[in-house]
Amino acid sequence: DQQVKQNSPSLSVQEGRISILNCDYTNSMFDYFLWYKKYPAEGPTFLISISSIKDKNEDGRFTVFLNKSAKHLSLHIVPSQPGDSAVYFCAASAGGGTSYGKLTFGQGTILTVHP
Amino acid sequence: NAGVTQTPKFQVLKTGQSMTLQCAQDMNHEYMSWYRQDPGMGLRLIHYSVGAGITDQGEVPNGYNVSRSTTEDFPLRLLSAAPSQTSVYFCASSIGTPNREQYFGPGTRLTVT
């Protein structure tokens, strides 16, 4: 049972436009959400996170929105740059005790930004 | 700081062989985890540790063993390799709370023939 889902395997965007990556989750115990970026042959790198007590978190060109009632989050990249081309993973965490060591990942979305 | 390091980068095993994937971090993080990445599956948690001497199973633990004797090191052992264990393996570490972001190593690409 996939608890975190990224239903779009790929997204293609023109340089300078907005990229919107989506993620849905089913586990109500998740209270912290993260986005990671991954280039080929490298490990994932942390981008931005959001706690369930917030509905928006912004860091430069990256903004994450959380809709708890819909169990949905999205990552907005504005403006998109060719260097943003990578695989983006959504991840979720359920807090408390040993659970801090566990992240549940979505399948990933391949973002391609065309010059 | 070197961050999270993993060795080897690549490995080819024959079915039935055993090996240990090494992982080390120099950030004094209490939490460490092992994930595997397969096409279309995202990253799946194999085992994790919340401190020296404490480990627990993740989503896909079968065929793997771990131990954590020091804060810095968290090796992953394949007891008897199978073709289904062909994957890319990532080790990660974190402080756990309040910010739960995990920092990943560069990965080990394992092929079992």
Side-chain angles (χ1 to χ4, degrees):
Chain A
D1 177 32
Q2 191 83 22
Q3 298 185 64
V4 178
K5 293 183 182 179
Q6 295 176 254
N7 291 317
S8 298
S10 63
L11 175 67
S12 184
V13 169
Q14 206 68 29
E15 181 179 7
R17 305 295 291 268
I18 185 171
S19 295
I20 300 176
L21 297 100
N22 294 303
C23 178
D24 297 295
Y25 63 96
T26 58
N27 189 341
S28 300
M29 300 303 292
F30 289 146
D31 64 351
Y32 197 90
F33 303 89
L34 309 93
W35 284 94
Y36 281 84
K37 176 179 180 179
K38 186 183 180 304
Y39 292 119
E42 295 184 9
T45 55
F46 169 73
L47 263 181
I48 191 168
S49 62
I50 187 167
S51 164
S52 62
I53 63 173
K54 296 184 175 182
D55 54 20
K56 176 183 173 181
N57 189 28
E58 198 170 349
D59 184 1
R61 295 187 298 116
F62 302 92
T63 303
V64 57
F65 295 92
L66 175 62
N67 182 334
K68 288 187 292 293
S69 61
K71 292 190 173 67
H72 177 83
L73 64 153
S74 61
L75 174 68
H76 292 209
I77 307 173
V78 183
S80 302
Q81 299 173 354
D84 295 329
S85 297
V87 180
Y88 288 78
F89 290 100
C90 168
S93 166
T98 62
S99 294
Y100 292 125
K102 301 168 64 174
L103 291 180
T104 302
F105 283 83
Q107 307 96 308
T109 297
I110 302 170
L111 173 66
T112 304
V113 181
H114 299 283
Chain B
N1 283 359
V4 180
T5 57
Q6 292 183 238
T7 55
K9 290 185 85 66
F10 302 94
Q11 183 70 50
V12 178
L13 289 179
K14 293 188 188 307
T15 298
Q17 288 184 317
S18 63
M19 80 159 294
T20 299
L21 307 185
Q22 301 292 344
C23 174
Q25 54 94 7
D26 61 359
M27 297 174 283
N28 202 32
H29 287 169
E30 285 298 317
Y31 293 81
M32 295 186 76
S33 309
W34 276 103
Y35 296 85
R36 58 178 288 174
Q37 184 192 7
D38 301 294
M41 302 286 288
L43 283 81
R44 292 182 293 168
L45 182 65
I46 305 171
H47 286 283
Y48 66 102
S49 169
V50 302
I54 307 170
T55 65
D56 204 350
Q57 296 182 352
E59 182 185 354
V60 288
N62 292 342
Y64 307 95
N65 269 2
V66 292
S67 60
R68 182 110 178 261
S69 56
T70 67
T71 299
E72 294 78 20
D73 301 296
F74 190 41
L76 178 72
R77 281 181 286 277
L78 281 71
L79 308 174
S80 177
S84 61
Q85 293 178 305
T86 293
S87 188
V88 182
Y89 292 84
F90 292 101
C91 179
S93 72
S94 71
I95 62 170
T97 182
N99 298 323
R100 302 184 208 172
E101 48 264 33
Q102 297 188 2
Y103 297 89
F104 284 81
T108 295
R109 182 173 293 274
L110 175 69
T111 302
V112 183
T113 61

